[in-house]
Every structure is written in C-alpha cells, then in structure tokens.
Amino acid sequence: MLFRSRLARRTVVIANTHTQSDTELGWIIGRKGTHAIRKAQHQQILNSLTMKEAVLIVGDMNCERSPEPLIRYMTPVDESRLKKATFYSTGEDLDHVAWFPLQWTRPDCRFCDFVRRGPRLMNCQVFQKPWSDHAPVLFSIFLPLMMAN
C-alpha cells in the first residue's frame, strides 16, 4: 500500500506480510527449517522493497526477532525490547511493524545512530478480541524525515 500524506508532502510504503509459521511445516522440516524459510522470506522483502520512500513492513512475522539484521522490528526507544503477547495460544510476540535501518543513515555513514534518527514506536495497544488466532494490534509510529538518498 502506498500512503501519501498531503500535510507532510511525503510518501510511505506500507507492506503487509505473513511469513511461514512453525505449525504448518514444523512437523515435516523442523524448527530450524522454518527459521531458514523465514530468513529467506525476510531477505526477499529486503530485496524487493528497498526504495527511496520510507518503508514499513507490517504483519504476522511468526517470530519474535527479525532473522534478517537489515530489517528491524520496532520497539520503543526507551526499552530494549517490547514484549506483547499477540498469539493467544503461546503468548508469543509474533505481530510487528518493521523498518529498514539503512534507509535512515547518511550515505557516508553506515554506523550512524539510526535508532534515534529513524522511525519510532510511540505506542502499541494489543486488543484481546477473538477476531483471529492473533490479537489485533494498533501501532502509533513517529516517522521523521529520511536521511538517506
């Protein structure tokens, strides 16, 4: 989905995804196999969505930490890790908003402080509603101007 803000005069790409779960193929290929599949899926996301506009990836990632270091799951800046139970049956945190850290660095500085300069999770509300096997999540994101490009 392409979101264009008239007020800010900028474009944000919002990509929704659902990566491989452990339950569908886990009994055939094992947990290591599904982790490898999710890592490959994250690499495909990275390869296909890197662009000049800011990109946010949202959805059921089926893992608590990103298997691809160039894709980060959003957490509040003041906390090392946001723990929210979005999968009812196990209490795992599987639903995320992710971003590409390298979009928020200066072209001449790959090790800049992109965490404070990039998008930030301002609020996250998990609703305990029986709409799915996952809890619905409402994220509020602060999206500063991009540094890269």
Side-chain angles (χ1 to χ4, degrees):
M1 172 192 324
L2 202 58
F3 172 74
R4 195 173 315 263
S5 169
R6 290 183 193 163
L7 185 61
R9 293 186 178 150
R10 61 185 304 192
T11 300
V12 178
V13 175
I14 301 173
N16 184 24
T17 191
H18 186 173
T19 63
Q20 182 63 48
S21 73
D22 289 333
T23 56
E24 296 297 320
L25 296 175
W27 61 277
I28 297 173
I29 61 177
R31 279 191 162 288
K32 287 185 180 180
T34 54
H35 177 78
I37 291 169
R38 278 194 298 273
K39 185 169 176 59
Q41 289 174 324
H42 278 68
Q43 185 62 51
Q44 290 171 346
I45 291 167
L46 182 68
N47 292 342
S48 63
L49 290 178
T50 302
M51 54 185 67
K52 291 183 181 185
E53 292 87 8
V55 175
L56 297 177
I57 305 113
V58 299
D60 180 1
M61 306 295 193
N62 272 309
C63 47
E64 293 195 298
R65 292 185 181 90
S66 175
E68 171 54 59
L70 296 178
I71 296 177
R72 295 272 178 109
Y73 295 166
M74 271 194 198
T75 58
V77 173
D78 59 346
E79 294 180 31
S80 62
R81 188 163 175 263
L82 171 68
K83 179 64 176 174
K84 59 189 185 317
T86 61
F87 188 54
Y88 296 125
S89 62
T90 64
E92 292 173 282
D93 177 11
L94 302 180
D95 301 87
H96 305 281
V97 174
W99 57 292
F100 298 147
L102 293 183
Q103 285 193 314
W104 303 92
T105 62
R106 291 190 319 266
D108 62 332
C109 182
R110 291 294 192 208
F111 299 102
C112 293
D113 187 7
F114 56 80
V115 173
R116 286 194 293 166
R117 295 179 187 266
R120 292 188 291 280
L121 179 60
M122 302 306 289
N123 188 25
C124 174
Q125 188 173 0
V126 179
F127 299 93
Q128 298 302 316
K129 303 278 185 187
W131 297 338
S132 167
D133 59 337
H134 288 248
V137 186
L138 176 64
F139 293 98
S140 296
I141 308 298
F142 171 73
L143 199 63
L145 293 175
M146 288 177 56
M147 292 180 68
N149 299 327

Short mmCIF file of all heavy atoms in Angstrom, two decimals, residues 64-66 72-84 93 96 99 115 121:
data_model
loop_
_atom_site.label_atom_id
_atom_site.label_comp_id
_atom_site.label_asym_id
_atom_site.label_seq_id
_atom_site.Cartn_x
_atom_site.Cartn_y
_atom_site.Cartn_z
N GLU A 64 9.78 -13.72 17.03
CA GLU A 64 9.87 -12.61 17.98
C GLU A 64 11.00 -11.64 17.64
O GLU A 64 10.94 -10.48 18.02
CB GLU A 64 10.04 -13.14 19.40
CG GLU A 64 8.78 -13.87 19.87
CD GLU A 64 8.74 -14.09 21.35
OE1 GLU A 64 9.62 -14.80 21.86
OE2 GLU A 64 7.83 -13.55 21.99
N ARG A 65 12.02 -12.11 16.94
CA ARG A 65 13.12 -11.25 16.50
C ARG A 65 13.33 -11.46 15.00
O ARG A 65 13.19 -12.57 14.49
CB ARG A 65 14.41 -11.62 17.23
CG ARG A 65 14.36 -11.27 18.70
CD ARG A 65 15.72 -11.55 19.36
NE ARG A 65 15.69 -11.25 20.75
CZ ARG A 65 15.37 -12.12 21.70
NH1 ARG A 65 15.04 -13.35 21.39
NH2 ARG A 65 15.38 -11.76 22.96
N SER A 66 13.71 -10.40 14.32
CA SER A 66 13.94 -10.49 12.89
C SER A 66 15.15 -11.37 12.59
O SER A 66 16.22 -11.15 13.15
CB SER A 66 14.16 -9.10 12.29
OG SER A 66 14.48 -9.21 10.93
N ARG A 72 14.53 -4.42 10.95
CA ARG A 72 14.36 -4.35 12.40
C ARG A 72 12.90 -4.30 12.76
O ARG A 72 12.14 -3.57 12.15
CB ARG A 72 15.02 -3.09 12.95
CG ARG A 72 16.50 -3.03 12.81
CD ARG A 72 17.15 -3.70 14.01
NE ARG A 72 18.58 -3.71 13.88
CZ ARG A 72 19.40 -2.97 14.60
NH1 ARG A 72 18.93 -2.14 15.49
NH2 ARG A 72 20.69 -3.06 14.44
N TYR A 73 12.53 -5.05 13.80
CA TYR A 73 11.19 -4.93 14.36
C TYR A 73 11.20 -3.74 15.31
O TYR A 73 12.12 -3.57 16.10
CB TYR A 73 10.79 -6.18 15.11
CG TYR A 73 10.66 -7.42 14.25
CD1 TYR A 73 10.60 -8.67 14.82
CD2 TYR A 73 10.60 -7.33 12.86
CE1 TYR A 73 10.47 -9.80 14.04
CE2 TYR A 73 10.48 -8.47 12.08
CZ TYR A 73 10.42 -9.71 12.68
OH TYR A 73 10.30 -10.82 11.91
N MET A 74 10.16 -2.92 15.22
CA MET A 74 10.11 -1.71 16.03
C MET A 74 9.87 -2.02 17.50
O MET A 74 9.02 -2.83 17.85
CB MET A 74 9.00 -0.79 15.55
CG MET A 74 9.47 0.14 14.51
SD MET A 74 8.27 1.44 14.27
CE MET A 74 8.86 1.98 12.70
N THR A 75 10.65 -1.35 18.31
CA THR A 75 10.48 -1.38 19.76
C THR A 75 10.59 0.06 20.24
O THR A 75 11.17 0.90 19.55
CB THR A 75 11.56 -2.24 20.45
OG1 THR A 75 12.84 -1.70 20.12
CG2 THR A 75 11.47 -3.69 20.03
N PRO A 76 10.06 0.38 21.40
CA PRO A 76 10.21 1.74 21.91
C PRO A 76 11.69 2.07 22.12
O PRO A 76 12.47 1.20 22.48
CB PRO A 76 9.46 1.73 23.25
CG PRO A 76 8.61 0.52 23.21
CD PRO A 76 9.27 -0.45 22.29
N VAL A 77 12.08 3.31 21.90
CA VAL A 77 13.47 3.71 22.05
C VAL A 77 13.94 3.52 23.49
O VAL A 77 15.08 3.14 23.73
CB VAL A 77 13.66 5.18 21.60
CG1 VAL A 77 15.06 5.67 21.90
CG2 VAL A 77 13.35 5.30 20.12
N ASP A 78 13.07 3.75 24.46
CA ASP A 78 13.48 3.68 25.86
C ASP A 78 13.44 2.27 26.44
O ASP A 78 13.77 2.05 27.58
CB ASP A 78 12.65 4.63 26.72
CG ASP A 78 11.16 4.31 26.64
OD1 ASP A 78 10.74 3.56 25.75
OD2 ASP A 78 10.42 4.83 27.49
N GLU A 79 13.04 1.28 25.66
CA GLU A 79 13.04 -0.10 26.12
C GLU A 79 13.87 -0.93 25.16
O GLU A 79 13.86 -0.70 23.97
CB GLU A 79 11.62 -0.67 26.15
CG GLU A 79 10.71 -0.01 27.16
CD GLU A 79 9.32 -0.62 27.13
OE1 GLU A 79 9.18 -1.81 26.83
OE2 GLU A 79 8.38 0.11 27.41
N SER A 80 14.58 -1.91 25.69
CA SER A 80 15.41 -2.73 24.81
C SER A 80 14.55 -3.66 23.95
O SER A 80 14.93 -4.03 22.86
CB SER A 80 16.40 -3.55 25.62
OG SER A 80 15.70 -4.42 26.49
N ARG A 81 13.38 -4.03 24.44
CA ARG A 81 12.53 -4.94 23.68
C ARG A 81 11.09 -4.83 24.20
O ARG A 81 10.85 -4.94 25.39
CB ARG A 81 13.04 -6.36 23.86
CG ARG A 81 12.37 -7.35 22.99
CD ARG A 81 13.21 -8.61 22.92
NE ARG A 81 12.49 -9.59 22.17
CZ ARG A 81 11.74 -10.54 22.71
NH1 ARG A 81 11.66 -10.65 24.00
NH2 ARG A 81 11.10 -11.39 21.95
N LEU A 82 10.17 -4.60 23.31
CA LEU A 82 8.76 -4.56 23.68
C LEU A 82 8.23 -5.98 23.66
O LEU A 82 8.34 -6.68 22.67
CB LEU A 82 7.98 -3.70 22.68
CG LEU A 82 6.46 -3.72 22.80
CD1 LEU A 82 6.03 -3.04 24.10
CD2 LEU A 82 5.83 -3.03 21.61
N LYS A 83 7.68 -6.42 24.76
CA LYS A 83 7.10 -7.76 24.82
C LYS A 83 5.60 -7.61 24.87
O LYS A 83 5.05 -7.03 25.80
CB LYS A 83 7.60 -8.51 26.06
CG LYS A 83 7.03 -9.90 26.21
CD LYS A 83 7.44 -10.82 25.08
CE LYS A 83 6.92 -12.22 25.32
NZ LYS A 83 7.17 -13.10 24.22
N LYS A 84 4.94 -8.09 23.82
CA LYS A 84 3.49 -8.04 23.77
C LYS A 84 3.01 -9.41 23.30
O LYS A 84 3.54 -9.95 22.34
CB LYS A 84 3.03 -6.92 22.83
CG LYS A 84 3.53 -7.06 21.42
CD LYS A 84 3.24 -5.81 20.61
CE LYS A 84 3.61 -5.96 19.16
NZ LYS A 84 4.86 -6.58 18.85
N ASP A 93 5.14 -13.01 20.90
CA ASP A 93 5.05 -11.70 20.23
C ASP A 93 5.37 -11.91 18.76
O ASP A 93 6.54 -11.90 18.37
CB ASP A 93 6.05 -10.75 20.90
CG ASP A 93 6.10 -9.39 20.25
OD1 ASP A 93 5.23 -9.08 19.42
OD2 ASP A 93 7.03 -8.63 20.57
N HIS A 96 4.29 -7.54 14.14
CA HIS A 96 5.24 -6.43 14.26
C HIS A 96 5.06 -5.37 13.18
O HIS A 96 4.44 -5.61 12.15
CB HIS A 96 6.68 -6.96 14.13
CG HIS A 96 7.01 -8.06 15.08
ND1 HIS A 96 7.32 -7.83 16.40
CD2 HIS A 96 7.07 -9.40 14.91
CE1 HIS A 96 7.56 -8.97 17.00
NE2 HIS A 96 7.41 -9.94 16.12
N TRP A 99 11.15 -2.07 9.88
CA TRP A 99 11.70 -0.98 9.07
C TRP A 99 13.10 -1.34 8.62
O TRP A 99 13.71 -2.28 9.12
CB TRP A 99 11.66 0.32 9.86
CG TRP A 99 12.38 0.31 11.18
CD1 TRP A 99 12.04 -0.39 12.31
CD2 TRP A 99 13.56 1.03 11.52
NE1 TRP A 99 12.92 -0.16 13.31
CE2 TRP A 99 13.87 0.72 12.86
CE3 TRP A 99 14.37 1.91 10.84
CZ2 TRP A 99 14.96 1.24 13.53
CZ3 TRP A 99 15.47 2.45 11.50
CH2 TRP A 99 15.75 2.11 12.83
N VAL A 115 18.84 4.37 15.13
CA VAL A 115 17.76 4.02 16.05
C VAL A 115 17.06 5.29 16.54
O VAL A 115 15.84 5.36 16.59
CB VAL A 115 18.28 3.18 17.24
CG1 VAL A 115 17.19 2.98 18.29
CG2 VAL A 115 18.80 1.84 16.75
N LEU A 121 8.51 3.72 17.54
CA LEU A 121 7.24 3.23 18.04
C LEU A 121 6.83 4.09 19.23
O LEU A 121 7.52 4.14 20.24
CB LEU A 121 7.38 1.77 18.48
CG LEU A 121 6.15 1.11 19.06
CD1 LEU A 121 5.01 1.10 18.06
CD2 LEU A 121 6.48 -0.31 19.49
#
